[in-house]
């Protein structure tokens, strides 16, 4: 299930690296329900939309818009109550409207666009983590396996036909270097093609694609 959040305009400067502040706000609302923090996150959320560049940051003169998607519908309803009780975000923005969007029928949909970059990392044989982007041949395999792992955690049946890959026909694809808590991460801005059962695609629509969806990567629509 997905909720759409609209905010009041910002009253303070919003720097480009606002991601950590947004993550803190989301985790505040999730609260005790964030049982998968640090491991497998069965939710995703978009970055702020409707912003305009201003100097070295952003402004939201008409307010910002974002969405949060969660596999567990009961938890998303609890989060809505938490938002209503504590609507303050950051940089003077406050939630002014929340609407619930039910899971769509995705039976005939395979192409999904990004609401935040897809981050893929994998522990190599030497113990170090390598970051993968749309240009790496193993990216599809890693995205698919991550989604399969999340489905197992959620108790969903195996989908033998499941696959996730970047849409390499998209001409606007690019790599974004994002710094989070002092760590630089290479992420991809490129639509993804998801093939599988309608249930699998709805699950991906909620939990996101790739790694670190719990800190704002891999949200799709």
């Amino acid at each position: 299930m997905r909720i759409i959040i609209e905010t009041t305009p910002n009253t303070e400067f919003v720097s480009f690296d606002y991601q950590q502040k947004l993550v803190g706000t989301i985790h505040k609302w999730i609260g005790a329900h964030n049982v998968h923090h640090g491991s497998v996150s069965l939710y995703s959320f978009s970055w702020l939309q409707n912003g305009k560049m201003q100097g070295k940051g952003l402004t939201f003169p008409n307010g910002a818009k974002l969405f949060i998607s969660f596999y567990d519908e009961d938890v998303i309803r609890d989060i809505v109550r938490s938002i209503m009780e504590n609507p303050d975000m950051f940089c003077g923005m406050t939630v002014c409207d929340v609407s619930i969007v039910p899971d769509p029928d995705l039976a005939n949909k395979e192409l999904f666009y990004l609401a935040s970059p897809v981050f893929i990392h994998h522990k190599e044989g030497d113990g170090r983590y390598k970051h993968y982007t749309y240009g790496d041949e193993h990216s599809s395999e890693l995205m698919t396996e991550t989604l399969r792992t999340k489905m197992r955690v959620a108790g969903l049946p195996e989908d033998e036909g499941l696959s996730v890959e970047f849409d390499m026909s998209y001409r606007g694809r690019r790599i974004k270097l994002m710094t989070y808590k002092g760590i630089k991460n290479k992420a991809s801005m490129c639509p993804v093609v998801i093939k599988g059962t309608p249930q699998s695609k709805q699950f991906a629509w909620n939990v996101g694609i790739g790694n670190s969806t719990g800190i704002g990567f891999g949200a799709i629509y």
Side-chain angles (χ1 to χ4, degrees), residues 58-70:
L58 298 166
T59 184
F60 298 86
N62 298 312
K65 190 174 182 179
L66 70 149
F67 67 76
I68 307 174
S69 293
F70 219 106

Side-chain angles (χ1 to χ4, degrees), residues 118 139-145 147-148 161-166 192-195 204 209-210:
V118 172
S139 292
S140 176
E141 175 187 344
L142 293 171
M143 288 190 294
T144 302
E145 183 52 39
L147 186 56
R148 287 187 186 279
L162 180 65
S163 68
V164 184
E165 60 185 27
F166 287 111
V192 293
V193 176
I194 305 175
K195 297 181 180 180
I209 294 298

